[in-house]
Amino acid sequence: MWNFKYKYHHLPQPFKCTIYHSHSRYIHTYTLLLMAVIFSKIGILGGGISGLAAAKQLAEYNPVVLEATGSIGGVWKHCSFRTTKLQTPRCDYEFSDYPWPLRDNSSFPSYTEILEYLNSYATHFDLFKFIKFNSRVIEIKLAKSSSNLLSQKPFWEVAVQTIDASIQWYSFEFIVVCMGKYGDIPIIPKFGKKKGPEVFKGKMMHSQEYSKLNSEESCQLLKGKKVVVVGYKKSAIDLAVECAQANQGEEGKPCTMVVRTSHWIVPHYSIWGLPFYLFYSTRFSQFLHQRPNQGALRTMLCSLLSPARKATSKMIESYLLWKLPLVKYGLKPDHPFEEDYASCQMAILPESFFPEADKGRINFKRASSWWFWEDGVAFDDGTKIEADLVILATGFDGKKKLRAVLPQPFSAFLEFPSGIMPLYRGTINPYIPNMAFMGYVESVSNLHTSEIRCKWLARLIGGKFKLPSMEKMVEQIKTEAEIMKKTTRFYKRTCISTFSINHSDEICEEMGWTSWRKKTWLAEAFSPYNSQDYQQQDDDDDDETN
């Protein structure tokens, strides 16, 4: 068991800070009131799905959960639109010990249903007692250096700005960072001189700002406007549909999507009458794909089976090209379907998307670069589009959010030169002591991905097993990164969807759990894995498998 003991350290002094408000463009100087340091063994930064999973698994340590806003839910609460839905059936997005009511309902739940589920989960397991709302982390400092993660652990000092602008300092022996890859810091394209939003007479906003609007406000903003949506991932697609819905009738204006890179989109989880999970989500289907630590024989088999992988991707592509008017609208991607799946970029299409396009309410413009002119948007092919409103669905910079609060030199260790975030088991950065990261590795079900890692982390902290050496952790991270780079050009997203079962196998083995979780060989080979397969094993089971 890790030895949690506290030692005295200094109390930070009062200070003044200057805050630049991006909306009002005013500079405010505050004298911030500092309060006595609060000591706790474990701090969890964020109250989204990863933060809740961490709080549940680490509840025996009475963790402090620092949530920047006034509610739990993360991106589901703060980055959702009125039409936002989950992209998987609810049974594939649930905690292992808290199934959905009516979990066999095949419909995709709305974001409000997901928030109700998360609040119900937090209430059921009494997690709200751990959460400090309106507590925004503004600085993290290391009080004591350490070269070994498991010996003479340092203290992390965390400065939190509360709702009344006072500063509360916390001291933790271990921090679980669950601040997420999405939200808070939007990615805004850079423009040349006199080509930015300053020359545009209309309004420009990021999807993050749009998500703050209620249903009535969003409809009013879009109605009767010539709207340009920049992007072609899930948020952009949902925005285009909402724009079309708000512009029904003769006076409605079309929405134009500016598409730089087209990605494969799926209308439902069925391909030529076969359930989608058969292609990528079973142990048998993932056997076709490369995975870390596979050995020379398996590497040779994967090479021999590469035609089968390509055939699977082609089969899905043929169905999507038959089912959807991708060629008609110039939206056929230039890369195989497998590359989008392997980078977790496969989006589920709203039913009304292409019907609205057929009615002329959604248009498409392929362009590698664009910029503003006074009445709209211009493109590298010399064409222009008039616009009243430009909405950027250009994503978020999660690493920049981390760099803003982590001290040097640790903020420099957040990614390899390749752009991949170095995380052993998707959780531990070998270069940053006594800190774990949750929610920075993606898969088909990010909730399951986070929960099983939180279980793994709880057993690591509880002394059930030890981490390998730094060299071995780095070697494992690089091996996984190489697999991602060989599978997709979009590898920087750190997605494990094509070897997710093997990834969970290795986590189970380190925890002392049985890695094969199904009851029969047939189910093990051909049934999809989900969180229910990884329900908690008690200590007796753990001991028996060690």
Side-chain angles (χ1 to χ4, degrees):
M1 180 74 85
W2 287 12
N3 181 26
F4 287 112
K5 292 183 179 178
Y6 298 100
K7 296 183 179 180
Y8 171 83
H9 64 96
H10 69 279
L11 178 67
Q13 299 299 311
F15 64 96
K16 289 186 177 181
C17 74
T18 300
I19 298 176
Y20 177 78
H21 195 279
S22 60
H23 297 296
S24 65
R25 298 185 179 177
Y26 291 123
I27 295 177
H28 305 278
T29 300
Y30 296 96
T31 299
L32 298 173
L33 175 64
L34 295 174
M35 295 174 281
V37 176
I38 296 176
F39 297 90
S40 185
K41 296 176 181 180
I42 294 177
I44 299 172
L45 313 186
I49 60 169
S50 296
L52 294 177
K56 163 65 168 55
Q57 299 302 323
L58 298 169
E60 65 180 288
Y61 302 106
N62 293 311
V64 173
V65 181
L66 300 174
E67 166 54 43
T69 70
S71 58
I72 63 171
V75 293
W76 289 112
K77 177 65 177 178
H78 305 293
C79 296
S80 295
F81 313 144
R82 57 186 169 86
T83 59
T84 300
K85 289 186 176 183
L86 187 64
Q87 295 200 83
T88 59
R90 61 196 71 210
C91 62
D92 291 330
Y93 194 87
E94 64 182 357
F95 295 102
S96 60
D97 51 4
Y98 198 72
W100 278 86
L102 304 175
R103 68 183 302 270
D104 294 329
N105 185 335
S106 61
S107 65
F108 297 171
S110 66
Y111 81 93
T112 55
E113 291 178 284
I114 295 169
L115 289 174
E116 290 173 1
Y117 172 72
L118 295 177
N119 274 277
S120 179
Y121 175 81
T123 300
H124 180 80
F125 291 107
D126 198 20
L127 303 182
F128 284 109
K129 67 183 179 183
F130 302 131
I131 303 175
K132 306 292 184 184
F133 289 110
N134 299 304
S135 299
R136 181 175 296 277
V137 174
I138 59 174
E139 184 181 2
I140 301 174
K141 298 193 301 183
L142 188 65
K144 179 181 177 181
S145 64
S146 175
S147 60
N148 190 314
L149 184 64
L150 296 180
S151 68
Q152 297 185 356
K153 297 174 294 297
F155 290 100
W156 287 107
E157 293 178 337
V158 179
V160 172
Q161 184 176 359
T162 61
I163 195 169
D164 61 355
S166 62
I167 295 296
Q168 174 67 65
W169 282 86
Y170 291 82
S171 181
F172 302 114
E173 286 199 10
F174 198 97
I175 291 178
V176 187
V177 180
C178 306
M179 297 168 66
K181 298 171 66 173
Y182 306 107
D184 293 327
I185 300 182
I187 296 175
I188 306 296
K190 295 181 179 180
F191 303 95
K193 187 177 181 181
K194 295 184 179 180
K195 291 185 175 182
E198 71 278 359
V199 303
F200 179 44
K201 293 180 180 179
K203 179 180 178 62
M204 183 200 81
M205 65 193 311
H206 192 272
S207 60
Q208 182 185 36
E209 184 180 354
Y210 178 86
S211 68
K212 309 302 179 187
L213 305 176
N214 60 36
S215 180
E216 182 178 349
E217 291 170 337
S218 61
C219 288
Q220 188 63 35
L221 174 70
L222 300 171
K223 188 174 182 180
K225 303 279 198 334
K226 289 176 284 188
V227 181
V228 169
V229 175
V230 180
Y232 189 65
K233 294 182 182 176
K234 181 58 177 172
S235 293
I237 291 171
D238 286 345
L239 276 169
V241 170
E242 293 196 7
C243 182
Q245 291 174 347
N247 281 280
Q248 301 292 315
E250 295 181 358
E251 297 182 358
K253 304 292 184 181
C255 167
T256 300
M257 298 188 73
V258 177
V259 182
R260 183 177 65 178
T261 303
S262 183
H263 293 279
W264 292 98
I265 46 182
V266 179
H268 44 66
Y269 280 101
S270 177
I271 303 295
W272 297 118
L274 298 173
F276 185 84
Y277 70 77
L278 286 177
F279 298 98
Y280 290 106
S281 299
T282 67
R283 193 175 289 277
F284 177 79
S285 61
Q286 291 195 5
F287 183 81
L288 302 176
H289 298 268
Q290 294 190 60
R291 67 186 189 190
N293 310 315
Q294 61 185 1
L297 178 60
R298 184 171 170 80
T299 299
M300 183 178 67
L301 282 173
C302 281
S303 179
L304 293 173
L305 292 172
S306 62
R309 289 200 307 273
K310 293 178 181 178
T312 298
S313 186
K314 286 291 186 182
M315 179 181 178
I316 296 172
E317 292 165 29
S318 67
Y319 175 78
L320 297 178
L321 292 172
W322 170 76
K323 184 71 175 178
L324 303 174
L326 300 178
V327 175
K328 173 183 176 181
Y329 290 111
L331 297 175
K332 180 180 180 294
D334 298 324
H335 53 270
F337 174 85
E338 181 183 345
E339 290 198 39
D340 273 342
Y341 186 84
S343 57
C344 298
Q345 295 191 98
M346 182 190 77
I348 298 297
L349 200 63
E351 291 182 5
S352 61
F353 182 70
F354 279 118
E356 293 292 355
D358 292 338
K359 297 173 185 176
R361 297 195 181 98
I362 299 177
N363 298 325
F364 305 96
K365 175 65 181 180
R366 296 295 300 266
S368 58
S369 63
W370 65 277
W371 55 88
F372 287 99
W373 63 293
E374 61 179 3
D375 292 322
V377 176
F379 303 96
D380 51 2
D381 63 359
T383 60
K384 294 182 177 180
I385 294 177
E386 292 185 355
D388 304 307
L389 172 66
V390 175
I391 305 179
L392 305 177
T394 48
F396 300 89
D397 193 336
K399 292 175 185 175
K400 186 176 181 179
K401 179 166 54 173
L402 290 177
R403 291 191 193 98
V405 296
L406 280 179
Q408 287 288 355
F410 304 114
S411 59
F413 301 150
L414 288 174
E415 64 181 8
F416 282 157
S418 64
I420 289 179
M421 196 171 179
L423 295 176
Y424 177 72
R425 300 300 182 224
T427 305
I428 297 295
N429 187 315
Y431 307 107
I432 304 179
N434 281 41
M435 186 176 288
F437 296 82
M438 292 293 173
Y440 294 90
V441 171
E442 295 186 66
S443 71
V444 176
S445 175
N446 290 331
L447 189 153
H448 163 63
T449 302
S450 290
E451 186 191 32
I452 193 169
R453 280 154 186 76
C454 288
K455 293 179 178 182
W456 177 88
L457 179 63
R459 280 153 182 76
L460 172 66
I461 293 176
K464 298 291 185 181
F465 63 93
K466 293 182 179 181
L467 289 174
S469 67
M470 177 183 289
E471 291 75 17
K472 289 186 177 181
M473 286 193 286
V474 172
E475 181 182 358
Q476 174 70 17
I477 294 167
K478 289 183 177 180
T479 300
E480 291 181 1
E482 284 302 312
I483 297 298
M484 296 174 199
K485 290 174 71 173
K486 290 177 181 178
T487 307
T488 175
R489 69 195 70 184
F490 309 111
Y491 62 88
K492 291 182 181 181
R493 292 178 60 89
T494 314
C495 173
I496 60 170
S497 61
T498 58
F499 58 93
S500 59
I501 297 175
N502 176 75
H503 202 77
S504 295
D505 286 349
E506 293 180 343
I507 286 176
C508 287
E509 288 166 5
E510 279 192 335
M511 291 194 295
W513 286 15
T514 303
S515 58
W516 286 33
R517 314 291 296 177
K518 302 290 187 180
K519 295 181 179 180
T520 68
W521 286 93
L522 192 63
E524 191 66 57
F526 300 107
S527 294
Y529 262 88
N530 57 42
S531 61
Q532 294 298 305
D533 295 306
Y534 297 94
Q535 292 185 19
Q536 202 95 339
Q537 291 184 206
D538 58 33
D539 291 337
D540 291 337
D541 290 336
D542 290 345
D543 293 338
E544 288 173 5
T545 55
N546 281 330

